[in-house]
Amino acid sequence: MRLQLRVRKFFCDNPTCPRQIFTERLPTVAAPWARRTTRLSQLLSAFGVALGGEAGARLVARVRLHISPTTLLRLIRAAPGPDASAPQVLGVDAWAWRRGQRYGTILVNLEDHRVLDLLPERSAESVAAWLAQHPTITVVCRDRSALYAEGIRQGAPQAVQVVDRFHLVKNLREAIEAFLHDQRAALQAAAALTVQALTVVAGPVSMPRVVLYK
């Protein structure tokens, strides 16, 4: 279905007016110069946010709407972002452009688990510059990287640095492994006692009787 709208157009008689022509706006129907209604744009944006470009375009085609994946992604980028309060608890971690070769930095608001920004590089300077623009940060959760530790000290000296859950468990595992590595004699003796105790509890094992039939 195609809608043709008739709107009023106004002209300014002042020769110094930089615009001179004013067209009536219909904000509840369509945006200026839009080729689709506001309601349709919101619907397509919802498909794109939920499924992405390619999958969203395929599902849109099933409901008799035609749009390319590129246009769907363009609608997503043009959609206004959700309103959010100033972040206070920040998560900092690396993400891979190409694993093992190039990394960036991801910044997450840990209070609502929303991604705040993606930095194109993994460096102390970029993290410090970002934190300097967000003085409300009070707690920063990071990995064991010395780069991030230095960037946080420079950009948010008031923030408390804590280790994230994954690296906390990893630190504990490595500490236990390092301790047990020097206790091989005690571990072998404990293993022998355990095997002996299990053998006593289980008792002698009787072999089942096997009867063969011709």
Side-chain angles (χ1 to χ4, degrees):
M1 180 176 63
R2 176 176 297 180
L3 299 178
Q4 293 184 349
L5 302 178
R6 289 182 176 270
V7 296
R8 292 174 292 181
K9 184 177 291 187
F10 305 93
F11 300 89
C12 181
D13 294 332
N14 188 348
T16 61
C17 179
R19 189 166 182 177
Q20 294 187 350
I21 300 176
F22 301 85
T23 303
E24 183 181 7
R25 304 301 189 195
L26 300 173
T28 60
V29 178
W33 299 288
R35 299 181 63 87
R36 60 181 63 90
T37 63
T38 301
R39 188 176 64 173
L40 178 58
S41 297
Q42 293 173 349
L43 177 63
L44 295 175
S45 296
F47 277 108
V49 170
L51 300 173
E54 295 290 343
R58 288 195 296 268
L59 186 58
V60 167
R62 296 292 298 271
V63 296
R64 298 293 187 265
L65 297 175
H66 300 284
I67 190 171
S68 67
T70 303
T71 303
L72 205 57
L73 294 177
R74 187 163 55 247
L75 288 174
I76 297 173
R77 298 188 187 100
D83 296 332
S85 58
Q88 295 184 354
V89 183
L90 182 71
V92 181
D93 205 349
W95 64 281
W97 288 87
R98 189 171 184 180
R99 185 177 295 274
Q101 298 187 18
R102 184 186 175 192
Y103 289 88
T105 300
I106 183 172
L107 305 168
V108 181
N109 186 347
L110 295 183
E111 294 179 301
D112 58 7
H113 305 286
R114 184 172 60 88
V115 177
L116 297 176
D117 205 348
L118 292 175
L119 305 182
E121 59 183 0
R122 182 175 178 267
S123 65
E125 292 76 13
S126 61
V127 173
W130 192 94
L131 289 173
Q133 299 175 1
H134 300 80
T136 59
I137 302 295
T138 58
V139 178
V140 180
C141 183
R142 62 173 179 84
D143 59 13
R144 301 180 296 180
S145 171
L147 293 175
Y148 291 152
E150 180 61 27
I152 296 168
R153 281 194 294 268
Q154 294 178 8
Q158 78 284 354
V160 177
Q161 300 189 35
V162 298
V163 181
D164 60 45
R165 184 182 305 174
F166 171 81
H167 289 92
L168 185 63
V169 175
K170 186 177 181 180
N171 290 348
L172 177 61
R173 177 182 61 80
E174 292 179 354
I176 294 175
E177 287 180 351
F179 172 77
L180 295 178
H181 183 74
D182 298 329
Q183 307 294 327
R184 290 188 176 182
L187 290 175
Q188 291 175 355
L193 292 174
T194 301
V195 172
Q196 183 179 358
L198 293 176
T199 303
V200 173
V201 172
V205 179
S206 59
M207 295 299 294
R209 184 181 178 182
V210 179
V211 179
L212 300 178
Y213 297 93
K214 293 184 179 180

